[in-house]
Amino acid sequence: METCPSCEAKLPEGAETCPSCELRIEGSTASFKPVGVEEEHPAAGVVEVSDIPVLVVHKGAETGERFYLEDGAYTVGRDPDSDIFLNDVTVSRRHARIDVIGGDAAVSDEGSLNGTYVNDVLVDSAHLQNGDALQIGRFKMVFLAGGGV
């Protein structure tokens, strides 16, 4: 049985997406290579075990991109100076903030126009748990707590 390259969950036979993190599985009939991409990134498809929390983009323009979250505060938005830059008009310039302390992470909406969602629920702020889906604009990311998860 195959496992998800992002969260290592077991995949059902012929799965197009991971039932745990909803990552699109490469090689499924629903996946495709974006036009204009000549070669795959050398680290693509490599499962990484991280000791720190990570956000993995699984829906949006940067699918597969990972944001490693060491202790600190991270700005999320369309402003190019954001720590987590999400370049899409559905993302506010200063959309949200993620605070990480001792591996625990919390997200807070910063007055965005389209809102911040955790597991499809609109939130002002929320503590992130391993496997939570964080949606900001058209970007949907999976939060992995780290520590070999």
Side-chain angles (χ1 to χ4, degrees):
M1 180 174 271
E2 257 185 273
T3 60
C4 175
S6 177
C7 71
E8 297 186 38
K10 291 185 180 180
L11 299 173
E13 184 71 33
E16 294 179 0
T17 59
C18 173
S20 179
C21 71
E22 298 182 4
L23 177 74
R24 185 172 300 212
I25 307 303
E26 194 164 323
S28 71
T29 57
S31 68
F32 61 93
K33 188 173 186 177
V35 176
V37 175
E38 296 178 9
E39 61 185 55
E40 193 171 299
H41 188 277
V46 175
V47 176
E48 299 172 22
V49 176
S50 175
D51 289 331
I52 62 172
V54 63
L55 280 175
V56 180
V57 177
H58 73 91
K59 183 178 178 188
E62 283 85 26
T63 299
E65 186 168 355
R66 289 169 164 76
F67 298 100
Y68 293 92
L69 305 172
E70 295 180 356
D71 282 3
Y74 297 84
T75 57
V76 182
R78 196 177 75 240
D79 184 331
D81 291 332
S82 296
D83 298 311
I84 298 175
F85 173 55
L86 302 175
N87 191 15
D88 189 88
V89 295
T90 61
V91 178
S92 296
R93 290 185 191 281
R94 295 179 188 211
H95 198 106
R97 175 183 166 134
I98 298 174
D99 292 295
V100 181
I101 301 170
D104 289 326
V107 63
S108 302
D109 188 85
E110 296 285 294
S112 69
L113 190 59
N114 291 323
T116 299
Y117 295 80
V118 175
N119 298 324
D120 298 321
V121 175
L122 180 65
V123 299
D124 288 328
S125 63
H127 182 77
L128 295 173
Q129 301 290 326
N130 188 53
D132 280 350
L134 173 62
Q135 184 168 347
I136 294 177
R138 289 188 184 130
F139 292 85
K140 201 162 194 180
M141 298 168 274
V142 175
F143 175 77
L144 301 174
V149 176

